[in-house]
């Protein structure tokens, strides 16, 4: 790093030292007058640290003049930056204090008897030395402030991670424990919430008002505030205590926060039921990643409660495969072409609740063709088409062959 103080004659520092008596008090007074965050009595740790910081900075600057030496240990200034963060002062306030202090110090130097006797080139070198010196010590303070900010953010995120894990626990934790951990995480429990399963959940939560996130394994979980906070103002829905996840703009804001990320939204629940929302969204995640909840669609956000049948079948894949095999077994007795037409006809007929005209319209055939096909299917299925329970099993099995549970025209192998 450049050492402009080495270009100032060494005798200048010795001549300036007695003329700078009282400069510490002058700099501190200017900072307190011009930077609101510092307009407080010079008592306790605050007064001790700021007085020490200014006096050490002035003494060190004078000592460096005429020497080809680096700045040296900046521990005092780094510690000052850390203290400023702990006491709640902003980085902008810290930098303003250094700027005010530098201007004040230069006015004091420039108006001194010694400075008025210096040739212009030495004055220029002195100014460069001062501003470069303050730039370096202020950088140390900024580094200290940033370190505290990083540590605090890391600690806060660790507490929020613990809160999300607690909310996911089954059986659920006691309400008093949840509220205690939420308070430690700096998060006010909302009246209603929903789990959002998404990769990079911490970053996504940072884009959503009132949300917290944790990058869990294998995929992250963000907890999204839906209703009003308890004993607090209305949440993102604009209501007080009434969840409106379908309200105007709520899902739009959620999608905006997601960007191009794929995610699954669990049901809206009270905090005590957070584990249920998390578990349901987690169960739907692998289906969504595989493209099975919205086949053929580029939809990035899936709502788990819109795919309960797919989730039910996915929970017991072997049972689902057995159901499919049994329900459609009669189709296996038909020639390949007739079986394909029969499956298509049955699906349309069941979707139309047995309405022949609606079935024909869906298949783009004449109603008489539907009647003819159904007659052949009744021969194959026997009384199953007239039995409510058997008809339900068949409808579910046919849905499985094209729906979210498989994503193909055939069920998984048993």
């Amino acid at each position: 790093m450049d050492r402009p103080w080495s270009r100032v004659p060494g005798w200048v520092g010795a001549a300036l030292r007695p003329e700078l008596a009282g400069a510490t008090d002058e700099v501190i007074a200017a900072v307190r007058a011009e930077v609101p965050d510092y307009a407080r009595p010079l008592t306790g740790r605050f007064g001790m640290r700021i007085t020490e910081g200014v006096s050490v900075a002035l003494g060190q600057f004078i000592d460096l003049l005429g020497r080809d030496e680096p700045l040296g240990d900046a521990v005092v200034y780094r510690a000052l930056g850390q203290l400023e963060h702990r006491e709640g002062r902003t980085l902008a306030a810290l930098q303003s204090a250094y700027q005010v202090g530098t201007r004040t110090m230069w006015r004091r130097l420039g108006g001194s008897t010694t400075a008025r006797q210096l040739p212009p080139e030495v004055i220029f070198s002195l100014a460069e030395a001062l501003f470069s010196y303050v730039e370096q010590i202020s950088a140390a303070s900024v580094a200290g402030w940033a370190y505290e900010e990083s540590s605090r953010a890391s600690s806060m995120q660790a507490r929020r991670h613990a809160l999300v894990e607690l909310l996911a626990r089954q059986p659920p934790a006691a309400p008093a424990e949840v509220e205690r951990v939420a308070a430690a995480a700096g998060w006010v429990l909302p009246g209603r919430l929903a789990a959002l399963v998404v990769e990079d959940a911490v970053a996504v939560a940072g884009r959503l008002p009132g949300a917290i996130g944790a990058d869990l394994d294998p995929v992250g979980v963000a907890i999204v505030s839906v209703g009003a906070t308890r004993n607090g103002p209305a949440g993102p829905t604009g209501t007080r205590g009434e969840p409106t996840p379908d309200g105007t703009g709520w899902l739009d804001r959620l999608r905006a926060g997601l960007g191009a990320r794929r995610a699954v939204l669990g049901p809206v629940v009270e905090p005590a039921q957070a584990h249920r929302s998390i578990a349901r969204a987690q169960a739907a995640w692998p289906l969504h990643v595989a493209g099975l909840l919205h086949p053929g669609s580029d939809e990035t956000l899936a709502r788990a409660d819109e795919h309960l049948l797919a989730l039910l079948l996915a929970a017991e894949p072997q049972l689902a495969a057995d159901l499919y095999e049994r329900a459609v077994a009669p189709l296996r007795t038909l020639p390949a072409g007739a079986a394909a037409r029969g499956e298509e006809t049955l699906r349309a007929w069941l979707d139309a609740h047995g309405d022949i005209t609606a079935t024909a319209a869906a298949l783009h055939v004449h109603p008489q063709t539907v009647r003819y096909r159904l007659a052949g299917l009744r021969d194959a299925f026997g009384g199953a088409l007239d039995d409510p329970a058997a008809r339900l099993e068949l409808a579910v099995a046919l849905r499985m062959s094209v729906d979210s549970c498989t994503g193909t025209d055939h069920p998984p192998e048993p």
Side-chain angles (χ1 to χ4, degrees), residues 156 159-160 163 181-188 212:
M156 181 63 73
R159 291 193 288 270
R160 292 188 170 187
L163 175 58
V181 176
W187 193 61
V188 180
I212 60 172

Side-chain angles (χ1 to χ4, degrees), residues 2-285:
D2 190 23
R3 304 167 185 176
W5 45 81
S6 66
R7 296 190 285 273
V8 179
W11 63 265
V12 173
L16 285 173
R17 191 182 300 276
E19 296 188 63
L20 295 180
T24 296
D25 293 339
E26 185 178 345
V27 170
I28 293 174
V31 170
R32 293 177 65 207
E34 297 185 41
V35 185
D37 283 11
Y38 290 85
R40 51 177 292 188
L42 293 174
T43 57
R45 186 170 59 173
F46 168 77
M48 180 183 68
R49 282 295 180 88
I50 194 171
T51 301
E52 178 188 19
V54 174
S55 61
V56 170
L58 291 177
Q60 184 173 249
F61 174 68
I62 294 300
D63 290 341
L64 282 172
L65 293 178
R67 297 183 181 181
D68 188 15
E69 297 178 1
L71 178 62
D73 192 359
V75 171
V76 171
Y77 311 107
R78 183 179 176 87
L80 181 61
Q82 290 178 276
L83 176 63
E84 296 306 277
H85 186 283
R86 291 173 195 155
E87 296 199 351
R89 280 181 285 279
T90 66
L91 184 58
L94 175 62
Q95 292 173 317
S96 294
Y98 270 110
Q99 291 166 3
V100 171
T102 304
R103 291 198 305 268
T104 304
M105 187 60 190
W106 177 242
R107 284 196 300 267
R108 181 68 178 260
L109 284 172
S112 67
T113 300
T114 299
R116 286 196 296 269
Q117 297 173 354
L118 295 174
E121 62 272 15
V122 176
I123 285 289
F124 296 150
S125 294
L126 182 62
E128 183 184 8
L130 176 65
F131 287 101
S132 178
Y133 171 75
V134 175
E135 180 182 357
Q136 292 183 41
I137 65 173
S138 67
S141 289
V142 168
W145 193 98
Y147 174 81
E148 285 296 311
E149 175 70 10
S150 175
S151 298
R152 180 178 180 182
S154 177
S155 176
M156 181 63 73
Q157 181 52 43
R159 291 193 288 270
R160 292 188 170 187
H161 186 105
L163 175 58
V164 173
E165 288 186 327
L166 184 67
L167 291 172
R169 182 191 298 177
Q170 295 189 55
E177 183 180 4
V178 173
E179 291 189 5
R180 177 183 61 78
V181 176
W187 193 61
V188 180
L189 285 170
R192 304 277 277 182
L193 55 80
L196 185 71
V197 170
V198 60
E199 293 179 341
D200 202 8
V202 174
V204 171
R207 299 181 179 183
L208 302 173
I212 60 172
D215 291 326
L216 305 181
D217 185 27
V219 65
V221 174
I223 305 298
V224 183
S225 299
V226 177
T229 57
R230 292 183 175 181
N231 302 318
T237 61
T239 61
R240 189 176 295 277
E242 291 297 324
T244 55
D246 294 318
T248 303
W250 190 84
L251 286 177
D252 290 339
R253 286 191 292 273
L254 193 59
R255 288 189 173 94
L258 288 170
R261 295 177 179 86
R262 187 155 29 195
V264 176
L265 182 66
V268 177
V269 296
E270 294 182 352
Q273 295 295 312
H275 64 283
R276 185 166 64 86
S277 184
I278 294 171
R280 187 162 300 171
Q282 288 175 327
W285 172 255

